[in-house]
């Protein structure tokens, strides 16, 4: 059974940084595409960044230059380093693991950017 456990969320002031982690179990982590999505109140869940099994990354325009997705296959963990945070980054952040058209979600971690 796939299990994805996010951590690292919290309250941060504008301009601050956070690093989210997602620890995976129940899968051969290294062959999965991993991603981070976010959902603000009343909004749909949107892609933030993905990283393929080969390490290729893609970040949406709104976070390019501020956020960085990375993975550690030895630890079965994917990270999202978030710098220069803005109030509009406030959302629940979800980890995603996908392969062959099927995917699994974590439970989410709240990120709040406010002074």
């Amino acid at each position: 059974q796939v299990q994805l456990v996010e951590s690292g969320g919290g309250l941060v002031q504008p301009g601050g940084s956070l690093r989210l982690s997602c620890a995976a179990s129940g899968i051969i982590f290294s062959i999965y595409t991993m991603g981070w999505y976010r959902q603000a109140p009343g909004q749909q869940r949107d892609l933030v960044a993905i990283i393929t099994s080969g390490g290729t990354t893609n970040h949406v325009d709104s976070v390019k230059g501020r956020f960085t997705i990375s993975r550690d296959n030895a630890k079965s963990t994917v990270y999202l380093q978030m710098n220069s945070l803005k109030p509009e980054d406030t959302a629940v952040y979800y980890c995603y693991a996908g392969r062959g058209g099927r995917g699994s979600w974590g439970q989410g971690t709240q990120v709040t950017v406010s002074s």
Side-chain angles (χ1 to χ4, degrees):
Q1 184 176 354
V2 181
Q3 188 172 16
L4 302 171
V5 179
E6 300 102 330
S7 61
L11 173 64
V12 64
Q13 292 186 343
S17 298
L18 285 174
R19 188 175 83 153
L20 305 183
S21 300
C22 171
S25 60
I27 58 173
I28 303 173
F29 180 81
S30 62
I31 65 174
Y32 274 69
T33 290
M34 301 298 297
W36 287 98
Y37 289 70
R38 66 186 179 186
Q39 187 169 19
Q43 303 296 315
Q44 66 181 20
R45 190 174 298 185
D46 291 325
L47 174 68
V48 176
I50 60 170
I51 182 166
T52 68
S53 58
T56 299
T57 62
N58 186 31
H59 301 76
V60 297
D61 287 345
S62 60
V63 307
K64 280 183 180 177
R66 300 189 299 123
F67 292 10
T68 303
I69 190 171
S70 62
R71 66 191 297 158
D72 185 335
N73 290 338
K75 295 181 178 180
S76 297
T77 300
V78 61
Y79 304 98
L80 186 67
Q81 178 66 45
M82 305 186 295
N83 299 327
S84 302
L85 282 159
K86 304 176 181 180
E88 52 262 44
D89 295 318
T90 295
V92 178
Y93 284 70
Y94 295 90
C95 178
Y96 175 82
R99 177 171 171 79
R102 301 177 65 180
S104 298
W105 296 93
Q107 83 288 352
T109 186
Q110 176 69 47
V111 172
T112 302
V113 185
S114 175
S115 55

